Amino acid sequence: MPDPDHLDRRGAVGVITLDNPPVNALSLSLRVALQDAFEAGLEDPEIEAFVIHSAGRMFSAGADIREFDSGAAGESPTLGELIAMIEASPKPVVAAVHGAAFGGGFELPLGCHARVSVPGTRVGLPEVTLGIVPGAGGTQRLPRLIGVPAALDAIVSGKPMKAEKGYELGLIDEMASSLDDLVDVAVRLAEKLAAEDGPPPKVRDRDDRLAEARENPGLFDDFRASIARRARGFEAPYACIECIEAAVEKPFDEGLAFERETFTRCRNSLQSKAQRHVFFAEREARRVRGVEKATPKASISQAAVLGCGTMGGGIAMCFANAGIPVRVTETEQGALDRGMDKIRGNYASTVSKGRLSEADAEARLALIEPTLDFDSIADADIVIEAVFEDMALKKEIFTRLDAICRPDAIMATNTSSLDVDEIAAVTSRPEQVVGLHFFSPANVMRLLEIVRGEKTSPEVLASVMAMSGRIGKVGIVVGVCDAFAANRMLYPYAQQAGFLIEEGAFPEQVDRVIYEFGFPMGPFGLGDLAGLDVGWRVRQHREPTRPKDLRYSPIADRLYEMGRYGQKTNRGWFRYEEGSRTPIPDLEVTELIVRTSEELGIERREISDEEILQRCMYPLINMGARVLEEGISERSSDLDLVWLYGYGFPRYRGGPMFYADSVGVDHVYETMKRFHEVHTDWLEPAPLLERLAREGGTFGDWSAS
Ligand SMILES: NC(=O)c1ccc[n+]([C@@H]2O[C@H](COP(=O)([O-])OP(=O)(O)OC[C@H]3O[C@@H](n4cnc5c(N)ncnc54)[C@H](O)[C@@H]3O)[C@@H](O)[C@H]2O)c1
């Protein structure tokens, strides 16, 4: 509970300090304290103006999201009421903003009569990332201060803005040179405003920047068109645009009321619940069984990667991008040169797109040291093996690593399907061994499956969890099983997509349904992107262990045999014009599909979009249930993140397990049962799915214990 009486006096200026550690969340208790301090100052005849600033490392991270569901956010004084009171104050109020001011924590300064900040401060309205719109006047006041185009960019992206930029745009009135001066600068500005005649200037009364927008009536439609592909299916960005439109078209109070209604509608939507679920899932994923806050973590200042192929090169880039020196080895110079050329090419392409300066690219490249000297990796804090997927080779490598690595070095394998415990067992220190399953392209994809071996130590897990954040990954801990969580859940999805086209659908229909559901692309487009030769090789590799009843459609293998490898040959499931990535249905594929159905004795039928969606989604959810009940994953929200960051599952649907809960676990179970009766064993409902359906449970509430 913050001190309700924290109003200090600096001459005639009342200085109010927000103090609600750790991030000054605007919880009810803080709002009451602010109101009390403010009212006391209003009544005090010796106070002529106010400064509001914060204790701690930031101004305020905004609303307390947990209050959304408890209802406390609606208790008086609401943030909107507080801001209205401040804005209406006859005594000017200056916000002194440092560190960060987000969401409601930024709407509060927007309602003040002036804003002062320091370099490096970040301000913004990230509400859209929670599936809502700002709810305390942000969409009405920000465009009045910085103009509609800049406000659209800021609010619809939800991305923070540096205070320096805010100063240029007219959002920040004055910049203090350092944090030490911030309150002084704010006090002086407050004194100056108090000395002016008449009531202090209100943001709500400003119209000049809105008038500019009225002169450009196409502005909003153009903006909608510019986000159409990215925001597809996600309602909150469009709701934000409507609110800013209301700011331009309606008087302030009506605009504010419109924003409030929109906020309430969004907050109660399933999409917002899904976005909030993901927000909490990301925090929850950091809790790992057996790992405590106090568990020691190794500091990682030198990394090594074995193999500079598709994965090794990308992994080396991850370290270099995070400023960590990395050595990368190969068995022969040609492979090393090819790998380094690929890395150089990747950086050059980022530079040519304007996303990285040439100097930064050079600095990153300089952190990657190619070498043929295996022994030179002996001093690395972490070694990640990314050689061919071959158990004998991996065992040989780990035996050599065991002989040369420091006793405390972390030894990781990037295997996608081999048994991490079997690899660890060849070393004298299996507790130092862990799986680090990156996704391709490793320098781009955010997901990192951290595979916990039977003997992996909590210290190693804590260290790689921390490292994953440092190299920009979302680390999700899973246990050892064939293909781990992500790929294991992907197989039934891809398998069903294959069966659907044997039964009567075509790739373009399946891909359209999955795209409309919100994925960036469907399974066939994805296959073409990844390369059908890659999938073919994986199937060959898995063939010896594949249970005989687990049939898969032969069509993908036939395309491979025809030399149709996907985008790289301009022909795969689809056809591609030279230099284009747009998939075009191809008659040759259509004929192959129809012929294969005939050969298999399948009478093709019309397949509904609904069946396509269910046949693709429910089996993967079913596999998720198996992954959970086998203890491979600790919680269903981890599997949601795996799909969000590994395969582009739409965030506004919360991930596959959340989606199952939202359509009803019993419905998923009944549908799976029906599929199982018509088709074969691979669609058998998982015991956990059946149990939850029977008990009326959800994956979200399920826990392993
Ligand atoms: N490609 C993917 O999408 C993907 C995704 C996740 C994990 N993986 C896994 O990552 C590993 C590497 O896969 P990849 O796709 O990068 O293969 P790749 O064939 O592109 O690269 C492997 C590299 O390892 C090198 N190499 C072989 N033996 C070596 C040794 N003794 N010392 C040093 N280098 C050696 C090879 O010369 C080659 O350049 C495999 O275990 C694979 O299962 C691959």
Side-chain angles (χ1 to χ4, degrees):
M1 180 78 176
D3 173 9
D5 195 14
H6 36 198
L7 173 69
D8 293 324
R9 201 160 313 151
R10 291 273 210 101
V13 177
V15 177
I16 299 174
T17 309
L18 307 183
D19 190 4
N20 184 19
V23 294
N24 293 315
L26 292 162
S27 53
L28 182 60
S29 56
L30 183 65
R31 300 197 302 272
V32 169
L34 174 56
Q35 185 183 39
D36 288 352
F38 193 69
E39 282 177 346
L42 280 178
E43 279 169 22
D44 186 336
E46 290 180 12
I47 289 185
E48 292 171 11
F50 293 93
V51 164
I52 300 178
H53 82 124
S54 292
R57 61 193 160 94
M58 64 173 73
F59 184 79
S60 169
D64 184 337
I65 299 176
R66 290 181 203 272
E67 284 193 358
F68 277 22
D69 293 316
S70 73
E75 279 184 43
S76 208
T78 63
L79 184 59
E81 288 165 357
L82 264 183
I83 294 173
M85 184 173 125
I86 288 169
E87 194 168 49
S89 160
K91 303 179 181 181
V93 185
V94 176
V97 181
H98 77 285
F102 294 144
F106 180 45
E107 289 176 297
L108 179 65
L110 289 177
C112 293
H113 303 107
R115 287 144 296 279
V116 173
S117 191
V118 271
T121 302
R122 294 182 314 143
V123 299
L125 295 169
E127 282 82 349
V128 71
T129 62
L130 296 174
I132 52 174
V133 300
T139 62
Q140 305 303 296
R141 292 192 180 89
L142 192 62
R144 284 175 159 82
L145 280 166
I146 65 173
V148 170
L152 278 169
D153 278 340
I155 296 173
V156 175
S157 74
K159 291 205 179 112
M161 181 192 291
K162 284 267 177 69
E164 293 90 319
K165 172 92 178 157
Y167 179 68
E168 276 169 32
L169 291 171
L171 170 66
I172 307 290
D173 299 271
E174 284 186 27
M175 292 294 283
S177 54
S178 76
L179 188 54
D180 294 340
D181 300 334
L182 178 67
V183 174
D184 288 345
V185 173
V187 166
R188 279 200 297 278
L189 183 58
E191 286 168 345
K192 195 172 124 214
L193 289 176
E196 286 173 3
D197 287 339
K202 298 186 180 107
V203 174
R204 59 175 282 152
D205 293 340
R206 291 186 51 170
D207 192 60
D208 48 330
R209 303 307 308 268
L210 301 184
E212 290 165 16
R214 284 187 205 103
E215 283 171 20
N216 182 1
L219 183 72
F220 288 100
D221 284 342
D222 290 350
F223 192 82
R224 279 191 191 92
S226 75
I227 63 160
R229 203 183 148 83
R230 209 168 8 109
R232 180 173 45 96
F234 182 25
E235 289 153 13
Y238 295 99
C240 289
I241 299 173
E242 280 173 21
C243 289
I244 300 170
E245 239 172 343
V248 173
E249 288 165 4
K250 297 178 196 282
F252 182 82
D253 286 325
E254 282 179 37
L256 203 60
F258 181 83
E259 180 197 81
R260 196 69 219 162
E261 278 162 33
T262 310
F263 170 84
T264 307
R265 172 170 58 80
C266 289
R267 188 198 53 199
N268 296 337
S269 71
L270 182 57
Q271 289 200 351
S272 169
K273 288 198 181 88
Q275 298 274 132
R276 278 178 272 154
H277 163 75
V278 176
F279 178 88
F280 289 118
E282 286 174 357
R283 275 143 196 83
E284 193 67 8
R286 295 183 203 137
R287 288 198 309 120
V288 177
R289 187 173 30 86
V291 177
E292 311 291 334
K293 251 203 168 114
T295 304
K297 298 181 193 71
S299 78
I300 291 175
S301 49
Q302 174 71 52
V305 177
L306 303 181
C308 195
T310 310
M311 296 307 289
I315 297 170
M317 287 176 74
C318 293
F319 284 102
N321 293 346
I324 303 170
V326 54
R327 268 181 212 121
V328 29
T329 74
E330 271 284 347
T331 42
E332 49 102 15
Q333 194 63 43
L336 197 54
D337 291 346
R338 279 192 300 279
M340 286 305 293
D341 282 350
K342 185 88 196 294
I343 292 176
R344 255 180 237 110
N346 282 341
Y347 279 128
S349 141
T350 316
V351 169
S352 73
K353 288 180 191 143
R355 293 207 221 112
L356 187 70
S357 75
E358 208 143 319
D360 284 344
E362 282 304 322
R364 291 177 190 194
L365 262 172
L367 289 172
I368 305 177
E369 187 192 327
T371 173
L372 290 178
D373 178 10
F374 189 90
D375 291 345
S376 74
I377 63 175
D379 66 342
D381 302 303
I382 185 165
V383 180
I384 300 179
E385 166 277 309
V387 304
F388 301 132
E389 187 77 339
D390 175 333
M391 183 54 104
L393 176 62
K394 302 228 184 221
K395 283 184 171 171
E396 182 198 319
I397 297 250
F398 272 77
T399 307
R400 283 176 75 189
L401 287 177
D402 194 28
I404 63 162
C405 286
R406 287 204 326 254
D408 59 341
I410 298 170
M411 304 196 297
T413 170
N414 181 47
T415 178
S416 23
S417 59
L418 299 175
D419 184 341
V420 175
D421 290 329
E422 199 180 327
I423 297 173
V426 301
T427 72
S428 62
R429 39 178 149 159
E431 68 284 355
Q432 292 298 111
V433 178
V434 67
L436 288 182
H437 186 212
F438 288 77
F439 286 70
S440 182
N443 54 316
V444 176
M445 296 302 293
R446 299 281 314 279
L447 178 63
L448 177 61
E449 271 185 312
I450 297 176
V451 187
R452 171 187 209 142
E454 199 191 337
K455 300 209 169 128
T456 308
S457 74
E459 290 77 14
V460 165
L461 280 175
S463 306
V464 293
M465 288 289 290
M467 182 202 79
S468 72
R470 228 176 124 196
I471 62 172
K473 303 293 171 200
V474 178
I476 303 292
V477 175
V478 297
V480 175
C481 70
D482 184 29
F484 315 125
N487 283 342
R488 190 167 160 196
M489 289 167 76
L490 184 71
Y491 290 144
Y493 166 80
Q495 186 186 41
Q496 290 303 309
F499 289 159
L500 283 163
I501 58 170
E502 283 179 356
E503 290 169 35
F506 287 102
E508 50 275 25
Q509 185 193 2
V510 176
D511 275 16
R512 176 182 51 74
V513 170
I514 297 299
Y515 179 77
E516 284 172 0
F517 182 78
F519 277 86
M521 60 177 74
F524 297 105
L526 185 66
D528 278 355
L529 179 69
L532 300 188
D533 51 330
V534 176
W536 182 84
R537 244 174 269 123
V538 171
R539 283 191 296 279
Q540 298 301 306
H541 170 72
R542 290 178 63 81
E543 189 57 31
T545 56
R546 186 170 62 84
K548 283 290 161 272
D549 53 349
L550 279 193
R551 192 179 77 79
Y552 64 84
S553 168
I555 301 175
D557 285 348
R558 296 198 179 161
L559 289 176
Y560 169 81
E561 285 152 17
M562 289 157 78
R564 301 186 67 118
Y565 295 169
Q567 285 192 17
K568 64 179 86 165
T569 55
N570 289 335
R571 291 154 75 247
W573 287 104
F574 300 101
R575 171 168 82 71
Y576 299 84
E577 301 283 353
E578 189 60 47
S580 159
R581 292 172 166 237
T582 309
I584 305 167
D586 191 344
L587 194 61
E588 189 176 49
V589 177
T590 307
E591 284 171 359
L592 170 72
I593 291 171
V594 172
R595 213 169 41 243
T596 309
S597 303
E598 262 170 34
E599 282 168 22
L600 293 168
I602 297 172
E603 192 174 332
R604 294 181 65 80
R605 63 189 169 95
E606 185 91 4
I607 301 189
S608 71
D609 288 359
E610 188 190 20
E611 180 177 346
I612 289 179
L613 187 63
Q614 293 177 342
R615 286 274 298 278
C616 289
M617 288 300 135
Y618 294 2
L620 87 83
I621 291 164
N622 194 48
M623 188 59 90
R626 290 190 198 281
V627 166
L628 286 175
E629 65 197 343
E630 287 172 20
I632 300 303
S633 175
E634 273 186 58
R635 54 184 85 85
S636 66
S637 60
D638 282 359
L639 300 181
D640 287 332
L641 295 180
V642 158
W643 271 76
L644 247 57
Y645 289 108
Y647 304 118
F649 194 98
R651 194 180 177 96
Y652 61 82
R653 294 192 195 272
M657 309 315 279
F658 181 89
Y659 177 70
D661 286 347
S662 64
V663 298
V665 173
D666 52 345
H667 163 74
V668 177
Y669 169 68
E670 292 301 331
T671 313
M672 282 301 295
K673 218 165 73 167
R674 207 157 30 82
F675 287 156
H676 181 219
E677 280 156 15
V678 179
H679 304 280
T680 46
D681 278 355
W682 34 260
L683 287 170
E684 185 171 9
L688 177 62
L689 183 71
E690 183 178 350
R691 182 155 64 80
L692 290 179
R694 209 178 44 236
E695 295 169 358
T698 61
F699 286 112
D701 288 337
W702 177 85
S703 79
S705 49

CSV table of all heavy atoms in Angstrom, one decimal, residues 306-312 329-331 335 385-389 393-394 397 414-416 437-438 440, ligand 1:
chain,number,residue,atom,x,y,z
A,306,LEU,N,29.1,-26.1,-33.2
A,306,LEU,CA,29.7,-27.2,-34.0
A,306,LEU,C,28.9,-27.4,-35.3
A,306,LEU,O,27.7,-27.8,-35.1
A,306,LEU,CB,29.8,-28.5,-33.2
A,306,LEU,CG,30.6,-28.4,-31.9
A,306,LEU,CD1,30.7,-29.8,-31.3
A,306,LEU,CD2,32.0,-27.9,-32.2
A,307,GLY,N,29.4,-27.2,-36.4
A,307,GLY,CA,28.7,-27.3,-37.7
A,307,GLY,C,28.2,-25.9,-38.1
A,307,GLY,O,27.6,-25.2,-37.3
A,308,CYS,N,28.5,-25.6,-39.3
A,308,CYS,CA,28.1,-24.3,-39.9
A,308,CYS,C,27.2,-24.5,-41.1
A,308,CYS,O,27.3,-23.9,-42.1
A,308,CYS,CB,29.3,-23.4,-40.2
A,308,CYS,SG,28.9,-21.7,-40.4
A,309,GLY,N,26.2,-25.4,-40.9
A,309,GLY,CA,25.2,-25.6,-41.9
A,309,GLY,C,24.0,-24.7,-41.7
A,309,GLY,O,24.2,-23.6,-41.2
A,310,THR,N,22.9,-25.2,-42.2
A,310,THR,CA,21.6,-24.4,-42.1
A,310,THR,C,21.4,-23.9,-40.7
A,310,THR,O,21.2,-22.7,-40.5
A,310,THR,CB,20.4,-25.3,-42.5
A,310,THR,OG1,20.8,-26.0,-43.7
A,310,THR,CG2,19.2,-24.5,-42.6
A,311,MET,N,21.5,-24.8,-39.7
A,311,MET,CA,21.2,-24.4,-38.3
A,311,MET,C,22.4,-23.7,-37.6
A,311,MET,O,22.3,-22.7,-37.0
A,311,MET,CB,20.8,-25.6,-37.5
A,311,MET,CG,19.5,-26.2,-38.0
A,311,MET,SD,18.1,-25.1,-38.2
A,311,MET,CE,17.7,-24.7,-36.5
A,312,GLY,N,23.6,-24.3,-37.8
A,312,GLY,CA,24.8,-23.8,-37.0
A,312,GLY,C,25.0,-22.4,-37.4
A,312,GLY,O,25.3,-21.6,-36.5
A,329,THR,N,32.8,-24.2,-35.8
A,329,THR,CA,33.8,-25.2,-36.4
A,329,THR,C,33.1,-26.0,-37.5
A,329,THR,O,31.9,-26.3,-37.4
A,329,THR,CB,34.4,-26.1,-35.4
A,329,THR,OG1,33.5,-27.0,-35.0
A,329,THR,CG2,34.9,-25.3,-34.2
A,330,GLU,N,33.9,-26.5,-38.3
A,330,GLU,CA,33.5,-27.5,-39.4
A,330,GLU,C,34.6,-28.5,-39.5
A,330,GLU,O,35.7,-28.3,-38.9
A,330,GLU,CB,33.3,-26.8,-40.7
A,330,GLU,CG,31.8,-26.3,-40.9
A,330,GLU,CD,30.8,-27.3,-41.2
A,330,GLU,OE1,31.3,-28.5,-41.5
A,330,GLU,OE2,29.6,-27.1,-41.2
A,331,THR,N,34.4,-29.5,-40.3
A,331,THR,CA,35.5,-30.5,-40.5
A,331,THR,C,36.4,-30.2,-41.6
A,331,THR,O,37.5,-30.6,-41.7
A,331,THR,CB,34.9,-31.9,-40.8
A,331,THR,OG1,33.8,-31.7,-41.7
A,331,THR,CG2,34.4,-32.6,-39.5
A,335,ALA,N,33.3,-26.4,-46.3
A,335,ALA,CA,32.1,-26.3,-45.6
A,335,ALA,C,32.1,-25.0,-44.7
A,335,ALA,O,31.0,-24.3,-44.6
A,335,ALA,CB,31.8,-27.5,-44.7
A,385,GLU,N,26.0,-28.1,-30.4
A,385,GLU,CA,26.3,-29.0,-31.5
A,385,GLU,C,25.2,-29.0,-32.5
A,385,GLU,O,24.0,-29.1,-32.2
A,385,GLU,CB,26.5,-30.4,-30.9
A,385,GLU,CG,26.5,-31.6,-31.9
A,385,GLU,CD,25.1,-32.0,-32.3
A,385,GLU,OE1,24.3,-32.3,-31.3
A,385,GLU,OE2,24.8,-32.1,-33.5
A,386,ALA,N,25.5,-28.7,-33.8
A,386,ALA,CA,24.5,-28.7,-34.9
A,386,ALA,C,25.0,-29.4,-36.1
A,386,ALA,O,25.0,-28.8,-37.2
A,386,ALA,CB,24.1,-27.2,-35.2
A,387,VAL,N,25.6,-30.6,-35.9
A,387,VAL,CA,26.1,-31.4,-37.0
A,387,VAL,C,25.0,-32.3,-37.6
A,387,VAL,O,23.8,-32.1,-37.1
A,387,VAL,CB,27.3,-32.2,-36.6
A,387,VAL,CG1,28.4,-31.4,-36.0
A,387,VAL,CG2,26.9,-33.3,-35.6
A,388,PHE,N,25.3,-33.1,-38.5
A,388,PHE,CA,24.2,-34.0,-39.1
A,388,PHE,C,23.4,-34.7,-38.1
A,388,PHE,O,23.9,-35.1,-37.0
A,388,PHE,CB,24.8,-35.0,-40.1
A,388,PHE,CG,25.6,-34.4,-41.2
A,388,PHE,CD1,26.9,-34.9,-41.5
A,388,PHE,CD2,25.1,-33.3,-41.9
A,388,PHE,CE1,27.6,-34.3,-42.5
A,388,PHE,CE2,25.9,-32.8,-43.0
A,388,PHE,CZ,27.1,-33.3,-43.3
A,389,GLU,N,22.2,-35.0,-38.4
A,389,GLU,CA,21.3,-35.7,-37.5
A,389,GLU,C,21.6,-37.2,-37.5
A,389,GLU,O,21.0,-38.0,-38.2
A,389,GLU,CB,19.8,-35.5,-37.9
A,389,GLU,CG,18.8,-36.0,-37.0
A,389,GLU,CD,18.6,-35.2,-35.7
A,389,GLU,OE1,19.5,-34.4,-35.4
A,389,GLU,OE2,17.5,-35.3,-35.1
A,393,LEU,N,27.4,-40.1,-34.9
A,393,LEU,CA,28.2,-38.9,-35.0
A,393,LEU,C,28.1,-38.0,-33.7
A,393,LEU,O,29.1,-37.5,-33.2
A,393,LEU,CB,27.8,-38.1,-36.2
A,393,LEU,CG,28.6,-36.8,-36.5
A,393,LEU,CD1,30.1,-37.0,-36.6
A,393,LEU,CD2,28.0,-36.1,-37.7
A,394,LYS,N,26.9,-37.9,-33.3
A,394,LYS,CA,26.6,-37.0,-32.1
A,394,LYS,C,27.3,-37.6,-30.9
A,394,LYS,O,27.9,-36.9,-30.1
A,394,LYS,CB,25.1,-36.8,-31.8
A,394,LYS,CG,24.4,-36.2,-33.1
A,394,LYS,CD,23.5,-35.1,-32.7
A,394,LYS,CE,22.8,-34.7,-34.0
A,394,LYS,NZ,22.6,-33.3,-34.3
A,397,ILE,N,31.0,-36.9,-31.1
A,397,ILE,CA,31.3,-35.4,-30.8
A,397,ILE,C,31.2,-35.2,-29.3
A,397,ILE,O,32.0,-34.5,-28.7
A,397,ILE,CB,30.2,-34.5,-31.5
A,397,ILE,CG1,30.3,-34.7,-33.0
A,397,ILE,CG2,30.3,-33.1,-31.1
A,397,ILE,CD1,30.9,-33.5,-33.8
A,414,ASN,N,21.5,-29.6,-30.8
A,414,ASN,CA,20.4,-29.0,-31.5
A,414,ASN,C,19.6,-30.1,-32.2
A,414,ASN,O,18.8,-29.8,-33.1
A,414,ASN,CB,20.9,-28.0,-32.5
A,414,ASN,CG,19.8,-27.3,-33.3
A,414,ASN,OD1,18.8,-26.9,-32.7
A,414,ASN,ND2,19.9,-27.2,-34.6
A,415,THR,N,19.7,-31.3,-31.7
A,415,THR,CA,19.0,-32.4,-32.4
A,415,THR,C,17.5,-32.1,-32.5
A,415,THR,O,17.0,-31.6,-31.6
A,415,THR,CB,19.3,-33.8,-31.7
A,415,THR,OG1,18.5,-34.8,-32.4
A,415,THR,CG2,18.8,-33.8,-30.3
A,416,SER,N,16.9,-32.6,-33.6
A,416,SER,CA,15.4,-32.4,-33.6
A,416,SER,C,14.7,-33.6,-33.3
A,416,SER,O,13.5,-33.5,-33.1
A,416,SER,CB,15.0,-31.8,-35.0
A,416,SER,OG,15.9,-32.2,-36.0
A,437,HIS,N,16.8,-26.8,-29.0
A,437,HIS,CA,16.2,-27.1,-30.3
A,437,HIS,C,15.8,-25.8,-30.9
A,437,HIS,O,14.7,-25.2,-30.6
A,437,HIS,CB,15.0,-28.1,-30.2
A,437,HIS,CG,14.4,-28.5,-31.5
A,437,HIS,ND1,13.1,-28.8,-31.6
A,437,HIS,CD2,15.0,-28.6,-32.7
A,437,HIS,CE1,12.9,-29.1,-32.9
A,437,HIS,NE2,14.0,-29.0,-33.5
A,438,PHE,N,16.6,-25.2,-31.8
A,438,PHE,CA,16.3,-24.0,-32.5
A,438,PHE,C,15.4,-24.4,-33.7
A,438,PHE,O,15.4,-25.5,-34.2
A,438,PHE,CB,17.6,-23.3,-33.0
A,438,PHE,CG,18.4,-22.7,-32.0
A,438,PHE,CD1,19.2,-23.5,-31.2
A,438,PHE,CD2,18.4,-21.3,-31.8
A,438,PHE,CE1,20.0,-22.9,-30.2
A,438,PHE,CE2,19.2,-20.7,-30.8
A,438,PHE,CZ,20.0,-21.5,-30.0
A,440,SER,N,14.2,-23.3,-37.7
A,440,SER,CA,14.8,-22.7,-38.9
A,440,SER,C,13.9,-21.6,-39.5
A,440,SER,O,12.7,-21.8,-39.7
A,440,SER,CB,15.0,-23.9,-39.9
A,440,SER,OG,15.6,-23.4,-41.1
B,1,LIG,N1,17.2,-27.8,-40.7
B,1,LIG,C1,16.3,-27.7,-39.7
B,1,LIG,O1,15.2,-27.2,-40.0
B,1,LIG,C2,16.5,-28.1,-38.3
B,1,LIG,C3,15.8,-27.6,-37.3
B,1,LIG,C4,16.1,-27.9,-36.0
B,1,LIG,C5,17.1,-28.8,-35.7
B,1,LIG,N2,17.8,-29.3,-36.7
B,1,LIG,C6,19.0,-30.2,-36.4
B,1,LIG,O2,20.2,-29.4,-36.4
B,1,LIG,C7,21.2,-30.3,-36.8
B,1,LIG,C8,21.9,-29.7,-38.0
B,1,LIG,O3,21.0,-29.6,-39.1
B,1,LIG,P1,21.2,-28.7,-40.4
B,1,LIG,O4,19.9,-28.6,-41.0
B,1,LIG,O5,21.9,-27.5,-40.0
B,1,LIG,O6,22.2,-29.7,-41.2
B,1,LIG,P2,23.2,-29.2,-42.3
B,1,LIG,O7,23.5,-30.4,-43.1
B,1,LIG,O8,22.8,-28.0,-43.0
B,1,LIG,O9,24.5,-28.8,-41.4
B,1,LIG,C9,25.3,-29.7,-40.7
B,1,LIG,C10,26.7,-29.2,-40.8
B,1,LIG,O10,27.5,-30.0,-39.8
B,1,LIG,C11,28.8,-30.1,-40.4
B,1,LIG,N3,29.5,-31.2,-39.7
B,1,LIG,C12,29.3,-32.5,-39.9
B,1,LIG,N4,30.1,-33.2,-39.0
B,1,LIG,C13,30.8,-32.3,-38.4
B,1,LIG,C14,31.8,-32.4,-37.3
B,1,LIG,N5,32.2,-33.6,-36.9
B,1,LIG,N6,32.3,-31.2,-36.8
B,1,LIG,C15,31.8,-30.1,-37.3
B,1,LIG,N7,30.9,-29.9,-38.2
B,1,LIG,C16,30.4,-31.0,-38.8
B,1,LIG,C17,28.5,-30.4,-41.9
B,1,LIG,O11,29.6,-30.1,-42.7
B,1,LIG,C18,27.4,-29.4,-42.1
B,1,LIG,O12,27.8,-28.2,-42.6
B,1,LIG,C19,20.6,-31.6,-37.0
B,1,LIG,O13,20.8,-32.3,-35.8
B,1,LIG,C20,19.2,-31.3,-37.2
B,1,LIG,O14,18.3,-32.4,-36.9
B,1,LIG,C21,17.6,-29.0,-38.0
